[in-house]
Amino acid sequence: MPPERHGSANTPSRPRAALLCLRPSPVALGAILAMLLLTGCASGGASPMGEIFRDAWGGSDGATDRAAEITFASLVLNADDRSGLVVLGALAEPESFWPTGNRGLVTLRHEGLHATAGLTADLLDTRYTVSEGEAEVPWRLSAPADFSVTRTWQRGDGLTEQMSAEGSLACAAAEPYALPLATLTLEPCAMTLVWENGRTTRGELWRDPQTRRLWAAEEQAWPDGPRMSWEVARQWW
C-alpha cells in the first residue's frame, strides 16, 4: 500500500503549487534562495513568503501542531542550534531546499542530507559512489550494497575540510514509524561510515519499502560534526 498522502494532490494552494513547480537553473536557483532567505524587503517589512518561512519555524514542541495547520510541504528538523518545522523553499529535483530562519538553509538530495548553510559548522557538499550503478544513493538500491561517500564541510573557524568514507547500509524488516502527521510502515536502515582517518559515524534512515524514499533520518554528517535529524511532515513528491 502506498504511503498516506496528506492534503489534496489536485488542488494545492497557489504558493505551494508555485514552489513545487520550480525547476530553475543553478543561477536562477541561487537568486530564488537568496530572496527566500531575506528577512525583510525594501519597505522595511518582511515579504509574504518570508513571513511564511519565519512563521513556520518554531520550537519542536509545537512542530506537529504547526504541520497540521500548514498545507505546504514540510519537515520537522533538528539541526545544530535550531529545531522545529520548516517548509519547502524551492525544488530542483532531486534536491529540495529548506530555509530554517536566521539565514539558514538545509539541502536534501533524494531526501538525504546533502548540504547546510548558516549553522555553526556547515556541510558544503555530499557525493555518494554506489558500485551497483542502479541508483545514485545507497538507500535507493533494492538490495543495499557497500558504497563510498565524500563530504566537504566548513569548520567553525572558517577552514574547509574534505574526507571520504566507506559505507554500509543494513535494512531490517518494515515496522510502524510515527511521523508528525501519520504512522507509516517503514524499513529502518542502519548506516555506518568508516572514515579515512579511522573514525566511524552512524546514522539511521527510515525508507518506504516500495519507493525506497526516505521519510525520516538521523545522522552525524562527519566525525565531530553536528548531529541532524529530520522527519517528513507533508511530502513534496
Side-chain angles (χ1 to χ4, degrees):
M1 180 178 293
E4 178 182 348
R5 295 179 181 270
H6 302 284
S8 172
N10 298 320
T11 57
S13 65
R14 290 184 179 180
R16 184 186 185 195
L19 289 174
L20 294 178
C21 289
L22 283 174
R23 296 293 188 278
S25 67
V27 173
L29 181 59
I32 291 168
L33 293 176
M35 176 188 70
L36 295 177
L37 293 171
L38 291 176
T39 57
C41 58
S43 64
S47 67
M49 192 61 72
E51 288 287 357
I52 289 173
F53 294 132
R54 189 165 62 242
D55 288 348
W57 183 258
S60 57
D61 290 345
T64 298
D65 291 338
R66 298 303 299 274
E69 296 170 357
I70 295 172
T71 60
F72 302 101
S74 57
L75 298 174
V76 174
L77 177 73
N78 284 280
D80 197 28
D81 61 347
R82 58 198 71 187
S83 64
L85 183 75
V86 292
V87 298
L88 181 66
L91 182 64
E93 290 184 343
E95 294 178 4
S96 56
F97 301 85
W98 305 86
T100 66
N102 297 323
R103 298 180 182 269
L105 183 72
V106 172
T107 303
L108 302 183
R109 183 177 176 85
H110 294 298
E111 307 92 50
L113 180 62
H114 181 69
T116 68
L119 303 183
T120 303
D122 278 315
L123 177 63
L124 304 179
D125 186 63
T126 301
R127 298 293 174 189
Y128 287 96
T129 301
V130 181
S131 59
E132 298 293 328
E134 177 188 340
E136 292 184 39
V137 290
W139 55 87
R140 288 290 182 88
L141 295 172
S142 55
D146 291 346
F147 60 92
S148 62
V149 61
T150 299
R151 277 179 162 158
T152 306
W153 63 91
Q154 186 174 42
R155 303 185 327 203
D157 60 9
L159 296 179
T160 299
E161 291 191 22
Q162 185 179 86
M163 194 180 300
S164 297
E166 296 301 315
S168 61
L169 196 66
C171 297
E175 60 185 70
Y177 184 94
L179 293 160
L181 297 180
T183 297
L184 302 181
T185 301
L186 303 175
E187 290 179 345
C189 299
M191 183 170 66
T192 302
L193 301 179
V194 180
W195 298 87
E196 58 187 87
N197 66 353
R199 302 282 299 278
T200 299
T201 59
R202 292 178 173 83
E204 190 81 10
L205 312 178
W206 294 81
R207 70 176 190 175
D208 179 271
Q210 282 75 46
T211 66
R212 299 190 286 278
R213 283 185 176 271
L214 297 186
W215 283 81
E218 186 271 336
E219 68 168 299
Q220 185 177 28
W222 66 88
D224 298 323
R227 295 201 71 85
M228 296 181 58
S229 64
W230 59 101
E231 295 179 325
V232 175
R234 294 188 187 275
Q235 73 267 36
W236 57 97
W237 56 84

